[in-house]
Amino acid sequence: MYDIVIIGSGPAGLSAAVYAKRANLDVVIVEKNYYGTGQVAESSQVDNYLGLPGTNGFDLGEKFRSHAEGLGAVFKTGEATAFVKNDRSWIVRLKDETELETKTVIYAAGAVHRHLGIPGENELAAKGVSYCATCDGNFFRGRKVAVVGGGDTALDDALYLSKLAEKVYVVHRRDEFRGSPATVAKLKEAANVELVLSAVPERVEGTDFVTGLVLKDGRTLEVDGVFIAVGMIPLNKAVEGLVELDDAGYIKADETCVTSAEGFFAAGDVRTKALRQVVTAVADGACAVTSAEEYIRKYN
């Protein structure tokens, strides 16, 4: 029986593995994709991780994984499809019908950005198309960008980018925003922000890098970057009905990573939190192991 089974090998899962191994716990990391490191690998450059500015996202993910491997962390490729609670243990069932018995589970499967699904979006990802303004905004200082979305994340991203970019277009498919009226008011006061309402993106233009965003009404916004903020999708299918979720589908858990199910912890982008960044995911991994250790000491 394992002490901890970690689901996911992104920053949260790898951080949990490091802390678990340093605590001399018997742990295995179940990863859906072989040799994965999570969404961080998709970032062309991570400029806001403490002490490592200007690091390529793929390289940073590799460093995280190497750290865990160096401590003897064991990885298993597979997809967790079900979790069954026994008296003082859990059975983790994988898609290939493998079963792992463990005292605790740290679920760090993450979340994925919701895409627009338009031509050019995938082709120009990390070449001007971004899903994280605080991650990539600094690369667009003095340039023109578009933010797509109408919720709080999109509005906050636009406000953040307005302090960096020459021009910020906020593109929203409706004529009013769902986000904070106070933030909308600030955007309206910003001289370099233009609200483009009742507008739907049709395609992202560019060959090697983004050169424009074409709207369905025929207009083209000449921009160097397109920041898409239309929501995220938590990877929660395997835990539906097992733990409490919020209205958006995220697992209800605070900084302790404790969920409504005993011995089951949630870390990283899949849990309820205000900021989904590498640094908060890494912190969650540490906190989840601390909570798991306390649970193991109490009940095992």
Side-chain angles (χ1 to χ4, degrees):
M1 182 190 298
Y2 293 103
D3 291 314
I4 305 175
V5 169
I6 299 169
I7 308 300
S9 58
L14 293 173
S15 173
V18 167
Y19 273 77
K21 292 303 296 182
R22 286 176 58 84
N24 201 30
L25 297 172
D26 190 10
V27 60
V28 63
I29 304 99
V30 177
E31 55 182 2
K32 187 175 179 180
N33 299 313
Y34 174 71
Y35 210 80
T37 56
Q39 286 189 59
V40 66
E42 299 173 9
S43 298
S44 58
Q45 192 166 326
V46 178
D47 209 36
N48 57 357
Y49 193 76
L50 186 64
L52 296 171
T55 304
N56 177 280
F58 180 84
D59 292 340
L60 185 60
E62 290 282 281
K63 289 180 184 294
F64 290 166
R65 189 181 182 99
S66 294
H67 191 171
E69 289 177 332
L71 292 172
V74 175
F75 293 79
K76 180 175 180 56
T77 304
E79 181 179 356
T81 56
F83 302 88
V84 179
K85 182 73 164 67
N86 294 324
D87 183 28
R88 289 300 174 198
S89 68
W90 286 87
I91 300 297
V92 180
R93 290 178 180 163
L94 307 185
K95 193 173 184 178
D96 65 2
E97 300 184 357
T98 298
E99 292 190 347
L100 306 173
E101 187 175 10
T102 180
K103 297 173 184 176
T104 62
V105 175
I106 294 178
Y107 191 79
V112 293
H113 291 282
R114 194 181 302 277
H115 287 210
L116 296 174
I118 60 176
E121 179 180 7
N122 291 337
E123 294 84 349
L124 292 165
K127 297 177 182 178
V129 171
S130 173
Y131 300 88
C132 181
T134 53
C135 303
D136 301 328
N138 193 52
F139 307 126
F140 294 86
R141 284 183 177 274
R143 306 175 83 175
K144 297 178 181 179
V145 300
V147 176
V148 181
D152 284 323
T153 299
L155 297 179
D156 289 342
D157 284 356
L159 193 60
Y160 173 79
L161 290 166
S162 71
K163 297 174 174 61
L164 303 171
E166 175 191 340
K167 178 77 173 184
V168 179
Y169 296 98
V170 184
V171 181
H172 184 40
R173 61 181 177 175
R174 297 189 176 91
D175 60 1
E176 58 182 27
F177 294 100
R178 293 177 288 107
S180 166
T183 309
V184 173
K186 290 179 182 178
L187 289 172
K188 288 180 177 179
E189 292 172 359
N192 63 336
V193 174
E194 182 177 336
L195 306 183
V196 185
L197 303 180
S198 300
V200 178
E202 184 172 70
R203 71 178 183 275
V204 182
E205 287 193 325
T207 303
D208 297 322
F209 297 97
V210 169
T211 58
L213 179 65
V214 179
L215 307 179
K216 285 191 175 181
D217 61 12
R219 285 180 290 171
T220 297
L221 305 178
E222 294 183 359
V223 294
D224 303 297
V226 177
F227 289 83
I228 299 170
V230 292
M232 295 187 73
I233 305 172
L235 298 176
N236 64 8
K237 185 176 181 180
V239 299
E240 289 180 344
L242 176 70
V243 293
E244 289 185 25
L245 307 176
D246 68 8
D247 292 341
Y250 293 97
I251 298 174
K252 288 186 176 181
D254 61 15
E255 285 76 10
T256 65
C257 300
V258 174
T259 73
S260 59
E262 286 191 348
F264 196 98
F265 306 91
D269 287 357
V270 76
R271 80 166 179 89
T272 50
K273 58 199 305 184
L275 183 65
R276 292 184 170 84
Q277 297 262 282
V278 175
V279 68
T280 59
V282 169
D284 277 3
C287 293
V289 170
T290 300
S291 295
E293 281 188 278
E294 291 177 358
Y295 177 85
I296 291 169
R297 284 198 298 268
K298 185 176 180 179
Y299 294 111
N300 291 276

